[in-house]
Amino acid sequence: IQSLACCAWKPFMSGPAAETPSAIQICRIMRPDDANVAGNVQGGTILKMIEEAGAIISTRHCNSQNGERCVAALARVERTDFLSPMCIGEVVQVNVMSENILTGTKKLTNKATLWYVPLSLKNVDKVLEVPPVVYSQQEQEEEGRKRYEAQKLERMETKWRNGDIVQPVQNPEPNTVSYSQSSLIHLVGPSDCTLHGFVHGGVTMKLMDEVAGIVAARHCKTNIVTASVDAINFHDKIRKGCVITISRRMTFTNNKSMEIEVLVDADPVVDNSQKRYRAASAFFTYVSLRQEGKSLPVLQLVPETEDEKKRFEEGKRRYLQMKAKRQGHTEPQP
């Protein structure tokens, strides 16, 4: 994995547009336990690898000057597009490049931008200042500041926007939200955490992708792969010993893809002084594939309640906005 760090504010960014010499490359061959039943590498596996590289670079940068020692914690992942499926046996690098080691063929599969905050090693609840970055052009600093302000606003909005809990429904009808919704309960153990007792962001993202994949597969009953992830916002740290509940529900479908909302709630069961809280949220987009890799039409979602219809329209608006952005339009095109 190759990743670079830039941005002199907190949280600061790790991504391909950096102007700092900090860099790291991690390569790993994809194994059967990295893939789904059809042999396609799970998006959560790639997100976890990207986050590992970003955490190393971010922590390295934050400790590049004299001062209080710190560790970088993931605060947000910008929209991530999965440009091409990966298979077992390919070697993965980032900007994520996959390589068939038998033929030498390489392809760009996805890229991402991550935001981190530096936390003090003496007190992980204390956020430290980020060391400055020297930019080659003033425009790069200005663009970075605009991105920072935009993501800060969205993180604050999404922290409270989805405060509800996904509840199960008895005997739901096919193609409805209730039919495919799913959840996972996970006890956070030492292997999920940093040396300082809070969960790696990559671990959370991998669990989020796994549950979202179940929702997509239940709806389509075909092979599915992650197509993109809207910004993942990490609202609070998840500590060792917490029980996390990862809830997913389908919000929108079109002919070729389906959007799934992911909510992560943490319950500090060993600490009576803390209440259950929303730890992370995101929207994942999946596509349905034939075994040979060609796309299949997606069954259309049937929203039943007023809330489901509202979320469907919001998902449609996000889809049209992203479609317009890809086509170079400033306004959504129907």
Side-chain angles (χ1 to χ4, degrees):
I1 291 182
Q2 294 175 331
S3 187
L4 300 174
C6 76
C7 197
W9 310 276
K10 58 188 185 198
F12 72 90
M13 182 181 66
S14 169
E19 294 297 326
T20 171
S22 297
I24 185 172
Q25 178 169 330
I26 301 173
C27 297
R28 184 161 74 80
I29 193 166
M30 294 292 97
R31 303 185 300 269
D33 57 353
D34 295 317
N36 60 21
V37 293
N40 299 119
V41 174
Q42 295 175 338
T45 298
I46 304 306
L47 289 171
K48 187 172 183 290
M49 291 183 67
I50 293 173
E51 196 276 332
E52 288 173 357
I56 292 171
I57 292 171
S58 302
T59 300
R60 179 187 292 170
H61 176 78
C62 285
N63 290 283
S64 61
Q65 298 182 359
N66 294 330
E68 190 172 345
R69 300 294 91 183
C70 64
V71 60
L74 185 63
R76 175 179 167 92
V77 181
E78 299 288 1
R79 179 182 173 87
T80 304
D81 292 302
F82 293 78
L83 308 176
S84 179
M86 284 172 283
C87 300
I88 296 170
E90 292 184 328
V91 174
V92 171
Q93 311 170 47
V94 174
N95 267 328
V96 182
M97 300 290 298
S98 70
E99 175 186 1
N100 186 316
I101 56 177
L102 299 180
T103 64
T105 303
K106 296 182 180 181
K107 58 186 177 183
L108 177 66
T109 55
N110 56 310
K111 52 187 177 181
T113 299
L114 288 72
W115 294 83
Y116 289 81
V117 292
L119 306 179
S120 169
L121 292 182
K122 296 179 181 179
N123 177 10
V124 293
D125 292 322
K126 178 183 178 182
V127 178
L128 302 178
E129 294 292 331
V130 178
V133 173
V134 179
Y135 294 88
S136 60
Q137 297 178 355
Q138 181 65 28
E139 291 77 9
Q140 292 174 328
E141 182 175 3
E142 292 173 356
E143 290 173 0
R145 185 178 292 276
K146 290 179 181 178
R147 290 194 299 272
Y148 165 70
E149 295 296 341
Q151 67 82 32
K152 180 181 178 181
L153 178 62
E154 185 175 340
R155 280 197 303 129
M156 293 302 295
E157 290 176 348
T158 58
K159 184 173 183 178
W160 308 111
R161 188 175 62 200
N162 299 313
D164 57 328
I165 304 298
V166 179
Q167 300 289 352
V169 175
Q170 297 295 324
N171 303 317
E173 293 294 325
N175 303 335
T176 62
V177 175
S178 301
Y179 183 82
S180 60
Q181 73 181 29
S182 183
S183 62
L184 178 148
I185 299 175
H186 177 76
L187 175 63
V188 176
S191 62
D192 299 320
C193 298
T194 68
L195 296 175
H196 312 288
F198 57 86
V199 177
H200 288 285
V203 171
T204 305
M205 290 191 291
K206 191 173 189 301
L207 291 171
M208 293 169 78
D209 180 71
E210 287 177 0
V211 183
I214 294 173
V215 173
R218 277 180 173 170
H219 181 79
C220 290
K221 294 183 171 54
T222 62
N223 177 37
I224 50 88
V225 295
T226 313
S228 66
V229 183
D230 252 16
I232 303 176
N233 292 294
F234 293 84
H235 307 302
D236 207 339
K237 296 185 295 297
I238 304 173
R239 297 182 182 275
K240 181 172 62 178
C242 282
V243 172
I244 56 175
T245 302
I246 304 174
S247 306
R248 308 280 181 115
R249 59 188 168 203
M250 191 163 294
T251 52
F252 171 73
T253 58
N254 57 59
N255 290 334
K256 295 183 178 180
S257 64
M258 54 203 127
E259 181 191 73
I260 298 166
E261 181 184 32
V262 185
L263 307 173
V264 181
D265 296 296
D267 186 1
V269 292
V270 296
D271 186 354
N272 293 329
S273 64
Q274 282 189 292
K275 297 181 179 180
R276 181 188 179 106
Y277 60 92
R278 176 63 41 82
S281 59
F283 290 96
F284 283 63
T285 299
Y286 283 80
V287 294
S288 176
L289 294 180
R290 303 178 191 273
Q291 290 297 331
E292 62 271 21
K294 295 183 179 180
S295 62
L296 285 168
V298 172
L299 293 171
Q300 292 306 291
L301 181 67
V302 181
E304 298 177 295
T305 68
E306 290 302 316
D307 283 343
E308 290 172 358
K309 293 175 181 177
K310 180 181 177 181
R311 285 193 290 268
F312 187 92
E313 291 302 317
E314 291 173 348
K316 182 178 180 180
R317 184 165 58 251
R318 285 188 292 271
Y319 166 74
L320 292 176
Q321 288 173 345
M322 187 52 56
K323 182 179 179 181
K325 185 176 180 180
R326 289 197 304 265
Q327 296 175 348
H329 299 296
T330 56
E331 297 293 334
Q333 303 294 308

